[in-house]
Amino acid sequence: MVTPRSILKSHKLRITDCRLDIIQEFLDRQVALAHSDLEEKLQNQFDRVTIYRTLNTFLEQDIIHKVLDDSGATKYALCSFEDDHEHDHEHVHFKCEICGETTCLDEVHLPPIKLPQGYKKRDMSLLVLGTCPKCG
Amino acid sequence: MVTPRSILKSHKLRITDCRLDIIQEFLDRQVALAHSDLEEKLQNQFDRVTIYRTLNTFLEQDIIHKVLDDSGATKYALCSFEDDHEHDHEHVHFKCEICGETTCLDEVHLPPIKLPQGYKKRDMSLLVLGTCPKCG
DNA sequence: GTTTATGCAAATTCTTTGCAATACT
DNA sequence: AGTATTGCAAAGAATTTGCATAAAC
């Protein structure tokens, strides 16, 4: 079972309240979160800087990844730990233009893409913009 | 033929040096550019603020579009004026992890994607990360 | 006890806004 | 001439850095 604690332990990171709370937040809401979302949620519990540093630590450790966003804001989401076998490097996200939420569509898989001569692919991210079920 | 001048005219925008130079820069280099790239290139010719405003004007007029980037920097690229028929709302970009350049892969087309129940798509952007022909 | 994370202050970078001067049509 | 754009100064976000204190192992 995946818990904030187990995630930190498996990455050999110290267990602190801020880290636990941030991971918990990602687990609870299955959407991509920006620094500002976390700051708002964990209001006054942790310093703004600590949240930045925590996010950067998690990025380095591949606990979270950046989610592309058209608005300019940097958003993050948990890397999926289910299919951990080889970190599948394929991200499909949906951003609702009404509520602004970005969700990971883990169940959607990208068909193979043919790239022009000479290009070598290592990772792919698809961002779909539109209307989500809640807002539709 | 597409020239900086013709682009501005067809969008009913006034013809100014800054606008001409920025469009020219996009035409010359077929890559996505960040504000900082333009600032560097047009060094001391125009104010930083003017470049920001020009980019925003072009965005509103659909002369350029934002290109997703994993680095956090906002990048822009010209909208393709060839297949102008209905602004096809499908963007495929390739970012080389070695030289950092992002290019539009106009020749690559996304196969139709099946979204889960309730999601309605309006636009899609694919970012492929890897190695480009020059760096490969 | 040693190492690492946190909080606070402050520095940097990125982006927007207001307003007078300038350039475009 | 009338309107939109530019440059400059300044304000406001977003993000990073340094250092002493506090917490984790």
Coordinates of all heavy atoms in Angstrom, one line a residue, chain A residues 66 68-72 74 92 94 97 103 105 107-134 136, chain B residues 66 68-72 74 92 94 97 103 105 107-134 136:
Chain A
K66 N 6.6 17.4 -13.2 CA 5.9 18.6 -13.7 C 4.8 18.2 -14.7 O 4.9 17.3 -15.5 CB 6.9 19.5 -14.4 CG 7.7 20.3 -13.4 CD 8.4 21.4 -14.1 CE 9.4 22.1 -13.2 NZ 10.1 23.2 -13.8
L68 N 2.5 19.7 -17.6 CA 2.5 20.8 -18.5 C 1.2 21.6 -18.4 O 0.1 21.1 -18.1 CB 2.6 20.3 -20.0 CG 3.9 19.5 -20.2 CD1 3.9 19.0 -21.6 CD2 5.1 20.4 -20.0
D69 N 1.3 22.9 -18.5 CA 0.1 23.7 -18.3 C 0.2 24.9 -19.3 O 1.3 25.5 -19.5 CB 0.1 24.2 -16.9 CG -1.2 24.9 -16.6 OD1 -1.4 26.0 -17.0 OD2 -2.1 24.2 -16.0
D70 N -0.9 25.2 -19.9 CA -0.9 26.3 -20.8 C -0.9 27.7 -20.2 O -0.6 28.7 -20.8 CB -2.0 26.2 -21.8 CG -3.3 26.3 -21.1 OD1 -3.4 25.8 -19.9 OD2 -4.3 26.8 -21.6
S71 N -1.2 27.7 -18.9 CA -1.4 29.0 -18.3 C -0.1 29.7 -17.8 O -0.1 30.8 -17.4 CB -2.3 28.9 -17.1 OG -1.6 28.2 -16.0
G72 N 1.0 28.9 -17.8 CA 2.2 29.5 -17.3 C 2.5 29.0 -15.9 O 3.7 29.0 -15.5
T74 N 3.3 26.6 -13.0 CA 3.9 25.2 -12.9 C 3.1 24.4 -12.0 O 2.8 24.7 -10.8 CB 5.3 25.3 -12.3 OG1 6.1 26.3 -13.0 CG2 6.1 24.0 -12.4
V92 N -0.4 11.7 -19.8 CA -1.6 12.2 -20.4 C -2.4 13.0 -19.4 O -2.7 12.4 -18.3 CB -2.5 11.1 -21.0 CG1 -3.7 11.8 -21.7 CG2 -1.7 10.3 -22.0
F94 N -5.4 16.0 -18.6 CA -6.6 16.8 -19.1 C -6.8 18.0 -18.3 O -6.9 17.9 -17.1 CB -7.8 15.9 -19.0 CG -9.0 16.5 -19.7 CD1 -9.3 16.3 -21.0 CD2 -9.8 17.4 -19.0 CE1 -10.4 16.9 -21.6 CE2 -10.9 18.0 -19.6 CZ -11.2 17.7 -20.9
E97 N -11.1 23.7 -19.0 CA -11.0 25.1 -19.2 C -12.0 25.9 -18.4 O -12.0 27.1 -18.3 CB -11.1 25.5 -20.7 CG -10.0 24.8 -21.5 CD -10.2 25.1 -23.0 OE1 -11.2 24.7 -23.6 OE2 -9.2 25.6 -23.6
T103 N -6.2 16.9 -14.5 CA -6.2 15.5 -14.0 C -5.3 14.6 -14.8 O -5.2 14.9 -16.0 CB -7.6 14.9 -14.0 OG1 -8.3 15.3 -15.2 CG2 -8.5 15.5 -12.8
L105 N -4.8 11.4 -16.7 CA -5.7 10.3 -17.3 C -4.8 9.1 -17.5 O -4.3 8.8 -18.5 CB -6.2 10.8 -18.7 CG -7.1 12.0 -18.7 CD1 -7.6 12.3 -20.1 CD2 -8.3 11.8 -17.7
E107 N -5.6 6.1 -17.5 CA -6.1 5.0 -18.3 C -6.0 5.3 -19.8 O -6.2 4.4 -20.6 CB -7.6 4.8 -17.9 CG -8.5 6.0 -18.2 CD -8.5 7.0 -17.0 OE1 -7.4 7.3 -16.5 OE2 -9.6 7.5 -16.7
V108 N -5.6 6.5 -20.2 CA -5.5 6.8 -21.6 C -4.0 6.5 -22.0 O -3.1 6.9 -21.3 CB -5.8 8.2 -21.9 CG1 -5.5 8.6 -23.4 CG2 -7.3 8.5 -21.6
H109 N -3.8 5.8 -23.1 CA -2.4 5.5 -23.5 C -2.2 6.1 -24.9 O -3.1 6.0 -25.7 CB -2.1 4.1 -23.4 CG -1.9 3.7 -22.0 ND1 -0.7 4.0 -21.3 CD2 -2.7 3.1 -21.1 CE1 -0.8 3.6 -20.0 NE2 -2.0 3.0 -19.9
L110 N -1.1 6.6 -25.1 CA -0.8 7.2 -26.4 C -0.4 6.1 -27.4 O 0.4 5.2 -27.0 CB 0.4 8.2 -26.2 CG 0.1 9.5 -25.6 CD1 1.4 10.3 -25.3 CD2 -0.8 10.3 -26.5
P111 N -0.9 6.2 -28.5 CA -0.5 5.3 -29.6 C 0.9 5.6 -30.0 O 1.3 6.8 -29.7 CB -1.5 5.5 -30.7 CG -2.1 6.9 -30.4 CD -2.0 7.1 -29.0
P112 N 1.6 4.7 -30.6 CA 3.0 5.1 -31.0 C 3.0 6.2 -32.0 O 2.1 6.3 -32.9 CB 3.5 3.8 -31.6 CG 2.3 2.9 -31.8 CD 1.3 3.4 -30.8
I113 N 3.9 7.1 -31.8 CA 4.0 8.3 -32.7 C 5.2 8.1 -33.6 O 6.3 7.8 -33.1 CB 4.2 9.6 -31.9 CG1 3.0 9.7 -30.9 CG2 4.3 10.8 -32.8 CD1 1.8 10.3 -31.4
K114 N 5.0 8.3 -34.9 CA 6.2 8.3 -35.8 C 6.8 9.6 -35.9 O 6.2 10.6 -36.3 CB 5.8 7.8 -37.2 CG 5.7 6.4 -37.4 CD 5.6 6.1 -38.9 CE 4.7 4.9 -39.1 NZ 3.3 5.2 -39.7
L115 N 8.1 9.7 -35.5 CA 8.8 11.0 -35.6 C 9.6 11.0 -36.9 O 10.0 10.0 -37.4 CB 9.8 11.1 -34.4 CG 9.1 11.2 -33.0 CD1 10.2 11.2 -31.9 CD2 8.2 12.4 -32.9
P116 N 9.9 12.2 -37.3 CA 10.7 12.4 -38.6 C 12.1 11.8 -38.3 O 12.5 11.7 -37.2 CB 10.7 13.9 -38.8 CG 9.6 14.4 -38.0 CD 9.4 13.5 -36.8
Q117 N 12.7 11.5 -39.4 CA 14.1 11.0 -39.4 C 15.0 11.7 -38.4 O 15.1 12.9 -38.4 CB 14.7 11.2 -40.8 CG 16.0 10.5 -41.1 CD 15.8 9.0 -41.2 OE1 14.9 8.5 -41.8 NE2 16.8 8.2 -40.7
G118 N 15.7 11.0 -37.6 CA 16.7 11.6 -36.7 C 16.3 12.0 -35.3 O 17.1 12.2 -34.5
Y119 N 15.0 12.0 -35.1 CA 14.5 12.4 -33.8 C 14.4 11.1 -32.9 O 13.9 10.1 -33.4 CB 13.1 13.0 -33.9 CG 13.2 14.4 -34.4 CD1 13.0 14.6 -35.8 CD2 13.3 15.5 -33.6 CE1 13.0 15.9 -36.3 CE2 13.3 16.8 -34.1 CZ 13.2 17.0 -35.4 OH 13.2 18.3 -35.9
K120 N 14.9 11.2 -31.7 CA 14.8 10.1 -30.8 C 14.0 10.5 -29.6 O 14.3 11.4 -28.9 CB 16.2 9.6 -30.3 CG 16.8 8.6 -31.3 CD 18.2 8.2 -30.8 CE 19.2 8.1 -31.9 NZ 20.5 8.7 -31.6
K121 N 13.0 9.7 -29.3 CA 12.1 10.1 -28.2 C 12.5 9.4 -26.9 O 12.9 8.3 -26.9 CB 10.7 9.6 -28.6 CG 9.8 9.2 -27.5 CD 8.5 8.5 -27.9 CE 8.3 7.2 -27.2 NZ 7.2 6.4 -27.7
R122 N 12.3 10.1 -25.8 CA 12.6 9.6 -24.5 C 11.4 9.7 -23.6 O 11.2 8.9 -22.7 CB 13.8 10.4 -23.9 CG 14.6 9.5 -23.0 CD 15.1 10.4 -21.8 NE 14.0 10.5 -20.8 CZ 13.6 11.6 -20.3 NH1 14.2 12.8 -20.6 NH2 12.6 11.7 -19.4
D123 N 10.6 10.6 -23.9 CA 9.5 10.9 -23.0 C 8.4 11.7 -23.7 O 8.7 12.4 -24.7 CB 9.9 11.8 -21.8 CG 9.0 11.8 -20.6 OD1 7.9 11.2 -20.8 OD2 9.3 12.4 -19.6
M124 N 7.2 11.5 -23.4 CA 6.1 12.2 -24.0 C 5.1 12.7 -23.0 O 4.7 12.0 -22.1 CB 5.4 11.3 -25.0 CG 6.2 10.9 -26.2 SD 5.2 10.5 -27.6 CE 4.2 9.2 -26.9
S125 N 4.5 13.9 -23.3 CA 3.4 14.4 -22.5 C 2.4 15.0 -23.4 O 2.6 15.8 -24.3 CB 3.9 15.6 -21.6 OG 4.7 15.1 -20.5
L126 N 1.2 14.5 -23.1 CA 0.0 15.1 -23.9 C -0.9 15.9 -23.0 O -1.2 15.4 -21.9 CB -0.8 13.9 -24.5 CG -2.0 14.3 -25.3 CD1 -1.6 15.1 -26.6 CD2 -2.9 13.2 -25.6
L127 N -1.2 17.1 -23.4 CA -2.1 17.9 -22.6 C -3.4 18.1 -23.5 O -3.3 18.6 -24.6 CB -1.5 19.2 -22.2 CG -2.5 20.1 -21.4 CD1 -2.8 19.6 -20.1 CD2 -1.9 21.5 -21.3
V128 N -4.5 17.6 -22.9 CA -5.7 17.8 -23.6 C -6.5 18.9 -22.9 O -6.7 18.9 -21.7 CB -6.6 16.5 -23.7 CG1 -7.9 16.7 -24.5 CG2 -5.8 15.3 -24.2
L129 N -7.0 19.9 -23.7 CA -7.8 20.9 -23.1 C -9.3 20.7 -23.5 O -9.5 20.3 -24.6 CB -7.3 22.3 -23.6 CG -5.9 22.7 -23.3 CD1 -5.6 24.0 -24.0 CD2 -5.8 22.9 -21.8
G130 N -10.1 21.0 -22.6 CA -11.6 20.9 -22.9 C -12.4 21.0 -21.7 O -12.1 21.8 -20.8
T131 N -13.5 20.2 -21.6 CA -14.4 20.3 -20.5 C -14.5 19.0 -19.8 O -14.6 17.9 -20.4 CB -15.8 20.6 -21.0 OG1 -15.7 21.6 -22.1 CG2 -16.7 21.2 -19.9
C132 N -14.4 19.0 -18.5 CA -14.4 17.8 -17.7 C -15.8 17.3 -17.4 O -16.8 18.1 -17.5 CB -13.6 17.9 -16.5 SG -14.4 18.9 -15.2
P133 N -16.0 16.1 -16.9 CA -17.3 15.6 -16.6 C -18.1 16.5 -15.6 O -19.3 16.7 -15.8 CB -17.1 14.2 -16.0 CG -15.7 13.8 -16.6 CD -15.0 15.1 -16.7
K134 N -17.4 17.0 -14.6 CA -18.1 17.8 -13.6 C -18.7 19.1 -14.2 O -19.7 19.5 -13.8 CB -17.1 18.2 -12.5 CG -17.0 17.2 -11.4 CD -16.0 17.7 -10.3 CE -14.6 17.7 -10.7 NZ -13.7 18.2 -9.8
G136 N -19.1 19.6 -17.6 CA -19.7 19.4 -18.9 C -21.2 19.5 -18.7 O -22.0 19.5 -19.7
Chain B
K66 N 1.2 29.5 -27.2 CA 2.2 29.1 -26.2 C 2.6 27.6 -26.5 O 1.8 26.8 -27.0 CB 1.5 29.1 -24.8 CG 1.4 30.5 -24.2 CD 1.1 30.4 -22.8 CE 1.0 31.8 -22.2 NZ 0.6 31.8 -20.8
L68 N 4.1 24.3 -24.8 CA 4.3 23.7 -23.5 C 5.8 23.4 -23.3 O 6.5 23.0 -24.3 CB 3.5 22.4 -23.4 CG 2.0 22.7 -23.6 CD1 1.3 21.4 -23.5 CD2 1.5 23.6 -22.5
D69 N 6.3 23.6 -22.1 CA 7.7 23.3 -21.9 C 7.8 22.8 -20.5 O 7.1 23.2 -19.6 CB 8.4 24.7 -22.0 CG 9.9 24.4 -22.0 OD1 10.5 24.2 -20.9 OD2 10.5 24.4 -23.1
D70 N 8.7 21.8 -20.3 CA 8.8 21.2 -19.0 C 9.7 22.0 -18.1 O 9.8 21.8 -16.9 CB 9.4 19.8 -19.2 CG 10.7 19.8 -19.8 OD1 11.0 20.7 -20.7 OD2 11.6 19.0 -19.5
S71 N 10.4 23.0 -18.6 CA 11.3 23.7 -17.8 C 10.7 24.9 -17.0 O 11.4 25.4 -16.2 CB 12.4 24.3 -18.7 OG 11.9 25.4 -19.4
G72 N 9.5 25.2 -17.3 CA 8.9 26.3 -16.6 C 8.9 27.6 -17.3 O 8.1 28.4 -17.1
T74 N 8.1 30.0 -20.3 CA 7.0 30.1 -21.3 C 7.6 30.3 -22.6 O 8.4 31.3 -22.9 CB 6.1 31.3 -21.0 OG1 5.7 31.2 -19.6 CG2 4.8 31.3 -21.8
V92 N 2.1 19.6 -32.0 CA 3.1 18.6 -31.7 C 4.5 19.3 -31.6 O 4.9 19.9 -32.6 CB 3.1 17.4 -32.7 CG1 4.2 16.4 -32.3 CG2 1.7 16.8 -32.7
F94 N 8.7 19.1 -30.3 CA 9.8 18.2 -29.9 C 10.8 19.1 -29.2 O 11.3 20.1 -29.7 CB 10.4 17.5 -31.1 CG 11.4 16.6 -30.7 CD1 11.1 15.2 -30.5 CD2 12.8 17.0 -30.5 CE1 12.1 14.3 -30.1 CE2 13.7 16.0 -30.1 CZ 13.4 14.7 -29.9
E97 N 16.7 17.5 -25.4 CA 17.2 17.6 -24.0 C 18.7 18.0 -24.0 O 19.2 18.3 -23.0 CB 16.9 16.3 -23.3 CG 15.5 16.0 -23.2 CD 15.2 14.7 -22.4 OE1 15.7 13.7 -22.9 OE2 14.5 14.8 -21.4
T103 N 11.1 22.4 -31.3 CA 10.7 22.6 -32.7 C 9.2 22.1 -32.9 O 8.8 21.2 -32.2 CB 11.6 21.9 -33.7 OG1 11.8 20.6 -33.1 CG2 12.9 22.6 -33.9
L105 N 6.7 20.1 -34.8 CA 6.7 19.0 -35.8 C 5.3 19.1 -36.5 O 4.4 18.3 -36.2 CB 6.8 17.7 -35.1 CG 8.1 17.5 -34.3 CD1 8.2 16.1 -33.8 CD2 9.3 17.7 -35.3
E107 N 4.6 18.1 -39.4 CA 4.3 16.9 -40.2 C 3.7 15.7 -39.4 O 3.2 14.8 -40.0 CB 5.5 16.5 -41.0 CG 6.7 16.1 -40.2 CD 7.6 17.3 -39.8 OE1 7.0 18.3 -39.4 OE2 8.8 17.1 -39.8
V108 N 3.9 15.8 -38.1 CA 3.4 14.7 -37.3 C 1.9 15.0 -36.9 O 1.6 16.1 -36.4 CB 4.2 14.6 -36.0 CG1 3.6 13.5 -35.0 CG2 5.6 14.2 -36.3
H109 N 1.1 14.1 -37.0 CA -0.3 14.3 -36.6 C -0.7 13.3 -35.6 O -0.3 12.1 -35.6 CB -1.2 14.3 -37.8 CG -1.1 15.5 -38.6 ND1 -1.7 16.7 -38.2 CD2 -0.4 15.8 -39.7 CE1 -1.3 17.6 -39.0 NE2 -0.6 17.1 -40.0
L110 N -1.5 13.8 -34.6 CA -1.9 12.9 -33.5 C -3.1 12.0 -34.0 O -4.0 12.5 -34.6 CB -2.4 13.8 -32.4 CG -1.3 14.4 -31.6 CD1 -1.9 15.4 -30.5 CD2 -0.5 13.4 -30.9
P111 N -2.9 10.8 -33.7 CA -4.1 9.9 -33.9 C -5.2 10.3 -33.0 O -5.0 10.9 -31.9 CB -3.5 8.5 -33.6 CG -2.4 8.7 -32.7 CD -1.8 10.1 -33.0
P112 N -6.4 9.9 -33.3 CA -7.5 10.3 -32.4 C -7.3 9.6 -31.1 O -6.9 8.4 -31.0 CB -8.8 9.7 -33.1 CG -8.3 8.9 -34.2 CD -6.9 9.3 -34.5
I113 N -7.6 10.3 -30.0 CA -7.5 9.8 -28.7 C -8.8 9.6 -28.1 O -9.7 10.4 -28.2 CB -6.7 10.8 -27.8 CG1 -5.4 11.2 -28.4 CG2 -6.6 10.4 -26.4 CD1 -4.3 10.3 -28.1
K114 N -9.0 8.4 -27.5 CA -10.3 8.2 -26.8 C -10.2 8.6 -25.4 O -9.4 8.2 -24.6 CB -10.6 6.7 -26.8 CG -11.4 6.2 -28.0 CD -11.9 4.8 -27.8 CE -11.8 3.9 -29.0 NZ -10.7 2.9 -29.0
L115 N -11.1 9.6 -25.0 CA -11.1 10.1 -23.6 C -12.2 9.3 -22.8 O -13.1 8.8 -23.4 CB -11.4 11.5 -23.6 CG -10.4 12.4 -24.3 CD1 -10.9 13.9 -24.3 CD2 -9.1 12.3 -23.5
P116 N -12.0 9.2 -21.5 CA -13.0 8.6 -20.7 C -14.3 9.3 -20.8 O -14.3 10.5 -21.2 CB -12.4 8.7 -19.3 CG -11.0 9.0 -19.4 CD -10.8 9.7 -20.8
Q117 N -15.4 8.7 -20.4 CA -16.7 9.2 -20.4 C -16.8 10.6 -19.8 O -16.3 10.8 -18.7 CB -17.6 8.2 -19.5 CG -19.0 8.5 -19.5 CD -19.7 8.0 -20.8 OE1 -19.3 7.0 -21.4 NE2 -20.6 8.8 -21.3
G118 N -17.4 11.5 -20.5 CA -17.7 12.8 -20.0 C -16.7 13.9 -20.3 O -17.0 15.1 -20.1
Y119 N -15.5 13.5 -20.8 CA -14.5 14.5 -21.1 C -14.8 15.0 -22.6 O -14.9 14.1 -23.5 CB -13.1 13.9 -21.0 CG -12.7 13.7 -19.6 CD1 -12.9 12.5 -19.0 CD2 -12.1 14.7 -18.9 CE1 -12.5 12.3 -17.7 CE2 -11.6 14.5 -17.6 CZ -11.8 13.3 -17.0 OH -11.4 13.1 -15.7
K120 N -14.7 16.3 -22.7 CA -14.8 16.8 -24.1 C -13.6 17.6 -24.5 O -13.2 18.5 -23.8 CB -16.0 17.8 -24.2 CG -17.3 17.0 -24.4 CD -18.5 18.1 -24.5 CE -19.7 17.5 -23.9 NZ -20.4 18.5 -23.1
K121 N -13.0 17.2 -25.6 CA -11.7 17.7 -26.0 C -11.9 19.0 -26.9 O -12.8 19.0 -27.7 CB -10.9 16.7 -26.7 CG -10.0 17.2 -27.8 CD -9.4 16.1 -28.6 CE -9.6 16.4 -30.1 NZ -9.3 15.4 -31.0
R122 N -11.1 20.0 -26.7 CA -11.2 21.1 -27.6 C -9.8 21.4 -28.3 O -9.8 22.0 -29.3 CB -11.5 22.3 -26.7 CG -12.3 23.4 -27.5 CD -11.9 24.8 -27.1 NE -10.6 25.1 -27.6 CZ -9.6 25.7 -27.0 NH1 -9.7 25.9 -25.7 NH2 -8.5 25.9 -27.6
D123 N -8.8 20.9 -27.6 CA -7.4 21.2 -28.1 C -6.5 20.2 -27.5 O -6.7 19.7 -26.4 CB -7.0 22.7 -27.7 CG -5.8 23.2 -28.4 OD1 -5.3 22.5 -29.2 OD2 -5.5 24.4 -28.2
M124 N -5.4 20.0 -28.2 CA -4.4 19.0 -27.7 C -3.0 19.5 -28.0 O -2.7 20.1 -29.1 CB -4.6 17.7 -28.3 CG -5.9 17.0 -28.0 SD -5.7 15.2 -28.2 CE -5.3 15.1 -30.0
S125 N -2.1 19.3 -27.1 CA -0.7 19.6 -27.3 C 0.1 18.4 -26.9 O 0.0 17.9 -25.7 CB -0.3 20.7 -26.5 OG -0.8 21.9 -27.0
L126 N 1.0 18.0 -27.7 CA 1.9 16.9 -27.4 C 3.3 17.4 -27.3 O 3.8 18.1 -28.2 CB 1.8 15.8 -28.4 CG 2.8 14.6 -28.2 CD1 2.3 13.8 -26.9 CD2 2.8 13.7 -29.4
L127 N 4.0 17.1 -26.2 CA 5.4 17.5 -26.1 C 6.2 16.2 -26.1 O 6.0 15.4 -25.2 CB 5.7 18.4 -24.9 CG 7.2 18.8 -24.7 CD1 7.6 19.7 -25.8 CD2 7.4 19.4 -23.4
V128 N 7.1 16.1 -27.0 CA 8.0 14.9 -27.0 C 9.4 15.3 -26.6 O 9.9 16.3 -27.1 CB 8.1 14.2 -28.4 CG1 8.9 13.0 -28.4 CG2 6.7 14.0 -29.0
L129 N 9.9 14.7 -25.7 CA 11.3 15.0 -25.2 C 12.3 13.9 -25.7 O 11.9 12.8 -25.8 CB 11.4 15.0 -23.7 CG 10.5 16.0 -23.0 CD1 10.6 15.8 -21.5 CD2 11.1 17.4 -23.3
G130 N 13.4 14.4 -26.1 CA 14.4 13.4 -26.6 C 15.6 14.1 -27.2 O 16.0 15.1 -26.7
T131 N 16.1 13.5 -28.3 CA 17.3 14.0 -28.9 C 17.0 14.4 -30.4 O 16.4 13.6 -31.1 CB 18.4 13.0 -28.9 OG1 18.5 12.3 -27.7 CG2 19.8 13.6 -29.2
C132 N 17.4 15.5 -30.8 CA 17.1 16.0 -32.1 C 18.2 15.5 -33.1 O 19.2 15.1 -32.7 CB 16.9 17.5 -32.2 SG 18.5 18.4 -32.0
P133 N 17.9 15.6 -34.4 CA 18.9 15.2 -35.4 C 20.2 15.8 -35.3 O 21.3 15.2 -35.4 CB 18.2 15.6 -36.7 CG 16.8 15.6 -36.4 CD 16.7 16.1 -35.0
K134 N 20.2 17.1 -35.0 CA 21.5 17.8 -34.8 C 22.4 17.3 -33.7 O 23.6 17.2 -33.8 CB 21.3 19.3 -34.6 CG 21.1 20.1 -35.8 CD 20.9 21.6 -35.5 CE 19.6 21.9 -34.7 NZ 19.4 23.3 -34.3
G136 N 21.8 14.3 -32.1 CA 21.8 12.8 -32.1 C 23.1 12.2 -32.5 O 23.4 11.0 -32.4

